[in-house]
């Protein structure tokens, strides 16, 4: 007889927490595939202190959720967020642009009351 599988140590969230828009999804799925993480990999979004406005986003590709994370599947992309960061990003959308000067991943965050001119940091 085999032992029962351990219960997951993370929670499942939905797109009310974060929504991945099509351009960001395409780019992220390509990056995950390139790194060999297409099956189980995820985008980790964290909010950390720093930047001109006090808070900034940190994004990394990871192997999957960690203990206590919230995992959201949006546009076929797994996104993992720690509970503290989830308070700051709730209702956000992640987009991607190939624009030469202001391209890259951008978070549209309804909780940000102040953003800096570079768009990389915010205050909530």
């Amino acid at each position: 007889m085999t032992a029962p599988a351990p219960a997951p140590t993370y929670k499942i969230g939905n797109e009310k927490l974060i929504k991945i828009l099509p351009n960001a999804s395409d780019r992220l799925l390509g990056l995950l595939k390139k790194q060999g993480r297409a099956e189980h990999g995820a985008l980790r979004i964290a909010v950390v202190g720093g930047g001109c406005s006090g808070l900034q986003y940190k994004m990394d590709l990871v192997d999957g959720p960690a203990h206590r994370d919230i995992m959201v599947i949006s546009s076929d992309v797994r996104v993992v967020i720690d509970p503290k960061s989830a308070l700051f990003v709730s209702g956000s959308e992640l987009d991607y642009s190939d624009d030469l000067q202001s391209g890259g991943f951008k978070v549209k965050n309804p909780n940000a009351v102040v953003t800096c001119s570079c768009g990389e940091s915010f205050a909530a």
Side-chain angles (χ1 to χ4, degrees), residues 17-116:
L17 179 58
I18 187 134
K19 183 176 182 175
I20 306 299
L21 298 179
N23 287 341
S25 172
D26 292 345
R27 182 73 173 153
L28 287 166
L29 291 171
L31 290 170
L32 287 164
K33 185 176 180 179
K34 189 175 183 179
Q35 290 189 359
R37 294 177 166 166
E39 291 294 315
H40 302 288
L43 170 70
R44 172 171 298 286
I45 298 178
V47 174
V48 296
C52 358
S53 297
L55 298 170
Q56 62 187 8
Y57 304 104
K58 180 180 177 191
M59 295 183 220
D60 293 306
L61 296 177
V62 297
D63 290 328
H67 179 66
R68 298 192 62 215
D69 276 346
I70 301 166
M71 183 172 75
V72 174
I73 299 176
S74 177
S75 298
D76 296 325
V77 174
R78 287 174 291 282
V79 181
V80 293
I81 303 172
D82 66 271
K84 183 178 173 186
S85 296
L87 298 172
F88 293 105
V89 301
S90 182
S92 295
E93 294 179 336
L94 180 67
D95 203 358
Y96 179 81
S97 169
D98 282 326
D99 184 63
L100 190 58
Q101 287 192 314
S102 61
F105 290 101
K106 299 291 180 193
V107 178
K108 181 180 175 188
N109 187 340
N111 305 302
V113 292
V114 175
T115 57
C116 66

